[in-house]
Amino acid sequence: MSEEALKAARDGLHVRVPASLADAAALRAEVRAADAALGAWLRSVGAGRAARADLRDEAAAR
C-alpha cells in the first residue's frame, strides 16, 4: 500500500451511525475489509523488513 493510498484511506475516514440493521451489517463489512487490507499490508512490510534484517545478519557473520 503506497503512502498515497494510506492518505486516501485516512482522508476517507468519517463517523457513520448506521440507520438500520442492514446499514450496520454493511458498515461492519466495510470495516472488516479495511482491517484485512491494512493487516495484509502491515504483514508484507514486516516480512520485507525481516528479510532485509536476515540479509544484514548473514553479511555481518561473514
Side-chain angles (χ1 to χ4, degrees), residues 25-40:
L27 180 57
R28 275 193 299 276
E30 289 174 27
V31 170
R32 287 181 181 144
D35 183 54
L38 179 58

Side-chain angles (χ1 to χ4, degrees), residues 9-48:
R10 182 199 62 212
D11 292 343
L13 292 176
H14 60 278
V15 174
R16 187 171 102 207
V17 178
S20 66
L21 291 177
D23 192 28
L27 180 57
R28 275 193 299 276
E30 289 174 27
V31 170
R32 287 181 181 144
D35 183 54
L38 179 58
W41 178 77
L42 290 172
R43 285 187 295 279
S44 71
V45 169

